[in-house]
Amino acid sequence: MSSEEKRFFDEMFGHQTHSAKGVGAPDPTGEQQCRAPYDTYHEWFSDEDLKRLNMKAAEAENVFRRTGITFNVYGEKDAAERLIPFDIVPRIIAAREWSRLARGIEQRVRAINAFLYDIYHKQEILKAGRIPSHLIAQNEAFEPSMIGVTPPGNVYTHIVGTDIVRTGDNEFFVLEDNARTPSGVSYMLENRETMMQMFPELFSQNKVRSVSDYPRLLRRSLASVAPPGCEGKPTVGVLTPGIFNSAYFEHSFLADQMGVELVEGHDLRVMDGKIKMRTTRGFKTLDVVYRRIDDAYIDPLTFRKDSMLGVPGIMDVYRAGNITIANAPGTGVADDKAIYSYMPEIVEFYTGESAILKNVPTWRCSEADSLKYVLEHLSELVVKEVHGSGGYGMLVGPAASKKELSTFEKKLKAKPANYIAQPTLSLSTVPILTKKGLAPRHVDLRPFVLVSKDKIDIIPGGLTRVALKAGSLVVNSSQGGGTKDTWVLED
């Protein structure tokens, strides 16, 4: 194999070769066989007419367009609503694989909640020297207004999205944690609904675990953390920035599926020490708000004074224990990619166990030795902003031009603490459907976790994001990626 070629783990067929020119087909060695989780699907696919499947793919696109499953890309001339491409070849995960993933995810989420409670109270992990104090004190996402505040049920991260990548048969890594306002669950649900409508026979042949319970579990989770003074059934609302937000479809979708109100900041006000929601019958007390706006915009009296999206005074009501905000303000500290690099220590500190799921090796550019290494190996690494998301502000070294490398080098030298770097992982691939047949593309996985006062629910599967461009490692929808239905098989 030449130095320009790499072997990647294909989740349907085993290993395959990629060259510098793109992605090749599975190795024609004769040793490659369909992996067990895909056996039934592969048998079905082999008997299907390719032309019919491509027509089905076009039909799926029309379904998504009619349903209005779109998103916006900020900062572009054509930032109008876009359709997220959907691929009809499912990603299939065996029961034993999912079992291990779920254990690791639950362990990690418990540790994150314990960590958030600690840093806003006694800060024992800092006193123990397990994390440098400056990573908290100088962290943009740390909210001093949350010091000493204990959310109902001690839950900070009610909804978590944990991004996971795979590099081998039994090799999974956590790429990052999304503890603020993780998005994408509506696409997971619509992907499944579309697949069940278009290929009902597949679900009779394959025992696939359901994801349709998510809205019910989400509402139950939110209701479980209602304020102590809540009387009767809690009133829940989804707080959205409005129709121009990139994830507005998801906000309205989830509110509708849960049977709760979709509200904007101007619909809410502080009255009698509580948050009241404007209705056709007057004002009604809101007990739990699932906020889909960033911390900085929640309350102009506490955060950004120019915010027109939040509710003036809501933080005072929150600190008084008269409303629950999910996820809690200040949870972005757990999203910070410099903090991410300490997650193995965080898991061990709060659980007394070794982390089941491994981190990707990470260089913190704030450290002189790490910065020196990153600058010397920039063309080999992936560099990310510590508070970045959506694939923005990121450099993929092996795919970057000399000009891009030079520009990023200047950014690193100017503000090193703003970046971390990681090796370019050999991300696994899953086939997508093309007009010529199956073709492998790189994927990641975002399972969704719901944290209640007394339990943790992990939805079996999650959102698989796929890089539709041959050879690309960037799966984000804002960067041209698509999505797949994710099947977790019954044991």
Side-chain angles (χ1 to χ4, degrees):
M1 184 181 299
S2 75
S3 60
E4 292 186 332
E5 292 181 331
K6 281 187 176 181
R7 287 172 66 82
F8 293 81
F9 181 71
D10 186 278
E11 297 186 21
M12 186 170 181
F13 293 111
H15 283 92
Q16 63 182 42
T17 301
H18 289 211
S19 71
K21 298 178 181 178
V23 188
D27 285 342
T29 59
E31 300 173 5
Q32 300 301 119
Q33 294 181 348
C34 180
R35 294 180 62 249
Y38 283 87
D39 276 345
T40 303
Y41 177 83
H42 186 249
E43 185 177 342
W44 170 87
F45 183 89
S46 300
D47 291 335
E48 286 293 307
D49 177 57
L50 186 58
K51 186 177 180 181
R52 172 182 175 269
L53 290 179
N54 275 298
M55 289 175 63
K56 284 282 189 180
E59 183 183 328
E61 181 177 324
N62 288 332
V63 169
F64 277 55
R65 199 177 298 281
R66 287 196 304 270
T67 309
I69 307 173
T70 58
F71 74 105
N72 295 333
V73 179
Y74 297 130
E76 295 191 7
K77 293 179 181 178
D78 59 341
E81 294 184 343
R82 290 187 185 178
L83 199 68
I84 294 184
F86 171 64
D87 180 65
I88 64 171
V89 180
R91 181 188 199 169
I92 307 177
I93 300 173
R96 63 173 179 79
E97 294 171 336
W98 179 252
S99 178
R100 178 174 175 271
L101 272 176
R103 289 197 309 274
I105 293 167
E106 179 171 347
Q107 179 198 54
R108 196 172 180 100
V109 169
R110 288 189 187 282
I112 286 173
N113 265 296
F115 167 68
L116 289 167
Y117 179 87
D118 185 26
I119 64 165
Y120 287 114
H121 290 80
K122 295 183 178 180
Q123 300 191 336
E124 298 288 355
I125 197 167
L126 304 184
K127 295 173 184 175
R130 301 299 290 271
I131 293 179
S133 297
H134 74 269
L135 284 186
I136 301 299
Q138 299 173 16
N139 197 307
E140 293 178 14
F142 182 74
E143 295 294 353
S145 61
M146 285 295 293
I147 293 174
V149 178
T150 302
N154 288 354
V155 179
Y156 284 81
T157 54
H158 309 78
I159 302 98
V160 183
T162 304
D163 289 352
I164 292 173
V165 294
R166 186 174 193 170
T167 59
D169 195 11
N170 200 31
E171 296 174 355
F172 296 91
F173 292 87
V174 176
L175 193 61
E176 62 183 55
D177 303 287
N178 296 278
R180 268 178 290 196
T181 53
S183 61
V185 74
S186 59
Y187 305 113
M188 173 191 80
L189 295 170
E190 290 288 4
N191 289 352
R192 176 60 56 84
E193 182 70 21
T194 301
M195 286 292 286
M196 291 182 74
Q197 288 178 5
M198 296 182 65
F199 304 107
E201 71 276 16
L202 281 174
F203 291 88
S204 62
Q205 297 170 19
N206 297 269
K207 295 181 179 179
V208 182
R209 292 184 61 182
S210 174
V211 297
S212 62
D213 257 4
Y214 181 87
R216 181 183 66 82
L217 294 174
L218 174 59
R219 179 162 184 169
R220 187 185 72 181
S221 174
L222 294 171
S224 78
V225 291
C230 174
E231 297 178 359
K233 188 177 180 181
T235 300
V236 178
V238 177
L239 177 60
T240 176
I243 60 173
F244 297 109
N245 183 264
S246 62
Y248 181 75
F249 166 79
E250 178 156 298
H251 306 166
S252 58
F253 175 87
L254 289 176
D256 180 62
Q257 292 290 307
M258 285 193 288
V260 304
E261 294 297 326
L262 179 69
V263 296
E264 296 182 35
H266 57 76
D267 298 319
L268 308 177
R269 66 175 60 176
V270 177
M271 297 174 65
D272 304 321
K274 296 188 176 182
I275 296 298
K276 303 278 186 172
M277 173 176 61
R278 184 188 291 111
T279 72
T280 54
R281 298 181 180 179
F283 283 91
K284 180 180 181 181
T285 298
L286 188 63
D287 301 298
V288 182
V289 58
Y290 175 22
R291 56 100 174 197
R292 295 300 297 262
I293 64 177
D294 293 337
D295 287 3
Y297 300 95
I298 292 175
D299 184 347
L301 300 184
T302 301
F303 304 115
R304 284 186 56 155
K305 293 182 174 60
D306 61 345
S307 172
M308 303 294 289
L309 302 177
V311 185
I314 191 173
M315 284 300 293
D316 290 334
V317 178
Y318 179 65
R319 284 189 288 261
N322 290 328
I323 191 168
T324 298
I325 299 176
N327 289 343
T331 53
V333 175
D335 283 7
D336 182 284
K337 293 178 177 62
I339 294 294
Y340 159 90
S341 67
Y342 286 96
M343 275 306 298
E345 289 87 347
I346 290 171
V347 169
E348 193 275 331
F349 187 83
Y350 296 107
T351 69
E353 305 165 347
S354 296
I356 296 170
L357 293 176
K358 294 182 286 187
N359 262 26
V360 178
T362 302
W363 290 273
R364 295 180 284 270
C365 297
S366 58
E367 300 170 2
D369 288 346
S370 293
L371 177 62
K372 182 174 182 291
Y373 178 87
V374 171
L375 289 172
E376 290 173 352
H377 299 82
L378 200 54
S379 63
E380 305 165 18
L381 303 172
V382 175
V383 186
K384 304 175 182 177
E385 293 182 350
V386 293
H387 292 297
S389 63
Y392 295 106
M394 183 172 80
L395 176 82
V396 181
S401 66
K402 288 184 179 180
K403 183 179 179 180
E404 289 169 331
L405 290 169
S406 176
T407 300
F408 227 89
E409 182 178 341
K410 292 173 184 175
K411 289 182 179 180
L412 279 167
K413 289 178 178 177
K415 200 174 180 182
N418 196 43
Y419 298 95
I420 58 95
Q422 296 171 333
T424 307
L425 294 181
S426 301
L427 300 189
S428 65
T429 61
V430 175
I432 65 167
L433 183 70
T434 71
K435 290 182 179 180
K436 295 182 179 180
L438 297 179
R441 294 293 187 271
H442 293 293
V443 292
D444 77 354
L445 176 66
R446 177 175 291 179
F448 293 96
V449 187
L450 297 173
V451 184
S452 304
K453 186 165 62 175
D454 53 0
K455 66 178 298 191
I456 292 178
D457 290 299
I458 303 173
I459 309 306
L463 180 67
T464 287
R465 301 182 299 178
V466 54
L468 297 175
K469 184 179 177 182
S472 174
L473 296 172
V474 183
V475 300
N476 307 77
S477 56
S478 56
Q479 308 297 315
T483 67
K484 286 175 166 288
D485 190 16
T486 309
W487 295 1
V488 172
L489 300 180
E490 295 280 2
D491 193 357

